[in-house]
PDB file of all heavy atoms in Angstrom:
ATOM      1  N   VAL A  75      -8.743   0.047   5.359  1.00  0.00           N
ATOM      2  CA  VAL A  75      -9.853   0.036   4.459  1.00  0.00           C
ATOM      3  C   VAL A  75     -10.962  -0.807   5.072  1.00  0.00           C
ATOM      4  O   VAL A  75     -10.741  -1.948   5.452  1.00  0.00           O
ATOM      5  CB  VAL A  75      -9.444  -0.549   3.055  1.00  0.00           C
ATOM      6  CG1 VAL A  75     -10.638  -0.641   2.176  1.00  0.00           C
ATOM      7  CG2 VAL A  75      -8.375   0.295   2.425  1.00  0.00           C
ATOM      8  N   VAL A  76     -12.166  -0.214   5.178  1.00  0.00           N
ATOM      9  CA  VAL A  76     -13.290  -0.962   5.781  1.00  0.00           C
ATOM     10  C   VAL A  76     -14.344  -1.329   4.778  1.00  0.00           C
ATOM     11  O   VAL A  76     -15.151  -2.219   5.020  1.00  0.00           O
ATOM     12  CB  VAL A  76     -13.912  -0.207   6.978  1.00  0.00           C
ATOM     13  CG1 VAL A  76     -12.918  -0.094   8.132  1.00  0.00           C
ATOM     14  CG2 VAL A  76     -14.431   1.172   6.560  1.00  0.00           C
ATOM     15  N   ASP A  77     -14.399  -0.660   3.616  1.00  0.00           N
ATOM     16  CA  ASP A  77     -15.374  -0.967   2.607  1.00  0.00           C
ATOM     17  C   ASP A  77     -14.879  -0.484   1.266  1.00  0.00           C
ATOM     18  O   ASP A  77     -14.249   0.588   1.189  1.00  0.00           O
ATOM     19  CB  ASP A  77     -16.745  -0.354   2.942  1.00  0.00           C
ATOM     20  CG  ASP A  77     -17.854  -0.857   2.029  1.00  0.00           C
ATOM     21  OD1 ASP A  77     -17.907  -2.080   1.782  1.00  0.00           O
ATOM     22  OD2 ASP A  77     -18.650  -0.023   1.574  1.00  0.00           O
ATOM     23  N   VAL A  78     -15.162  -1.264   0.226  1.00  0.00           N
ATOM     24  CA  VAL A  78     -14.767  -0.865  -1.142  1.00  0.00           C
ATOM     25  C   VAL A  78     -15.990  -0.932  -2.044  1.00  0.00           C
ATOM     26  O   VAL A  78     -16.694  -1.930  -2.035  1.00  0.00           O
ATOM     27  CB  VAL A  78     -13.672  -1.838  -1.666  1.00  0.00           C
ATOM     28  CG1 VAL A  78     -13.326  -1.514  -3.154  1.00  0.00           C
ATOM     29  CG2 VAL A  78     -12.428  -1.792  -0.809  1.00  0.00           C
ATOM     30  N   ASP A  79     -16.221   0.129  -2.771  1.00  0.00           N
ATOM     31  CA  ASP A  79     -17.239   0.141  -3.806  1.00  0.00           C
ATOM     32  C   ASP A  79     -16.496   0.346  -5.132  1.00  0.00           C
ATOM     33  O   ASP A  79     -16.203   1.459  -5.562  1.00  0.00           O
ATOM     34  CB  ASP A  79     -18.215   1.322  -3.558  1.00  0.00           C
ATOM     35  CG  ASP A  79     -19.391   1.310  -4.562  1.00  0.00           C
ATOM     36  OD1 ASP A  79     -19.294   0.662  -5.613  1.00  0.00           O
ATOM     37  OD2 ASP A  79     -20.410   1.974  -4.239  1.00  0.00           O
ATOM     38  N   ALA A  80     -16.146  -0.788  -5.737  1.00  0.00           N
ATOM     39  CA  ALA A  80     -15.329  -0.764  -6.958  1.00  0.00           C
ATOM     40  C   ALA A  80     -16.024  -0.083  -8.123  1.00  0.00           C
ATOM     41  O   ALA A  80     -15.416   0.660  -8.864  1.00  0.00           O
ATOM     42  CB  ALA A  80     -14.938  -2.167  -7.350  1.00  0.00           C
ATOM     43  N   GLU A  81     -17.319  -0.279  -8.235  1.00  0.00           N
ATOM     44  CA  GLU A  81     -18.072   0.329  -9.327  1.00  0.00           C
ATOM     45  C   GLU A  81     -18.098   1.853  -9.202  1.00  0.00           C
ATOM     46  O   GLU A  81     -18.044   2.574 -10.189  1.00  0.00           O
ATOM     47  CB  GLU A  81     -19.485  -0.224  -9.404  1.00  0.00           C
ATOM     48  CG  GLU A  81     -19.527  -1.646  -9.926  1.00  0.00           C
ATOM     49  CD  GLU A  81     -20.928  -2.125 -10.136  1.00  0.00           C
ATOM     50  OE1 GLU A  81     -21.859  -1.309 -10.383  1.00  0.00           O
ATOM     51  OE2 GLU A  81     -21.123  -3.370 -10.035  1.00  0.00           O
ATOM     52  N   ALA A  82     -18.210   2.353  -7.981  1.00  0.00           N
ATOM     53  CA  ALA A  82     -18.239   3.809  -7.763  1.00  0.00           C
ATOM     54  C   ALA A  82     -16.800   4.377  -7.715  1.00  0.00           C
ATOM     55  O   ALA A  82     -16.632   5.575  -7.778  1.00  0.00           O
ATOM     56  CB  ALA A  82     -18.951   4.128  -6.468  1.00  0.00           C
ATOM     57  N   GLY A  83     -15.811   3.510  -7.583  1.00  0.00           N
ATOM     58  CA  GLY A  83     -14.432   3.984  -7.528  1.00  0.00           C
ATOM     59  C   GLY A  83     -14.070   4.675  -6.220  1.00  0.00           C
ATOM     60  O   GLY A  83     -13.477   5.742  -6.213  1.00  0.00           O
ATOM     61  N   ARG A  84     -14.424   4.019  -5.123  1.00  0.00           N
ATOM     62  CA  ARG A  84     -14.072   4.638  -3.815  1.00  0.00           C
ATOM     63  C   ARG A  84     -13.991   3.557  -2.727  1.00  0.00           C
ATOM     64  O   ARG A  84     -14.594   2.507  -2.836  1.00  0.00           O
ATOM     65  CB  ARG A  84     -15.066   5.714  -3.438  1.00  0.00           C
ATOM     66  CG  ARG A  84     -16.426   5.230  -3.038  1.00  0.00           C
ATOM     67  CD  ARG A  84     -17.307   6.372  -2.498  1.00  0.00           C
ATOM     68  NE  ARG A  84     -18.692   5.952  -2.434  1.00  0.00           N
ATOM     69  CZ  ARG A  84     -19.613   6.217  -3.314  1.00  0.00           C
ATOM     70  NH1 ARG A  84     -19.359   6.988  -4.342  1.00  0.00           N
ATOM     71  NH2 ARG A  84     -20.824   5.764  -3.162  1.00  0.00           N
TER      72      ARG A  84
END
Side-chain angles (χ1 to χ4, degrees):
V75 175
V76 294
D77 190 42
V78 176
D79 186 341
E81 287 186 28
R84 72 173 166 258

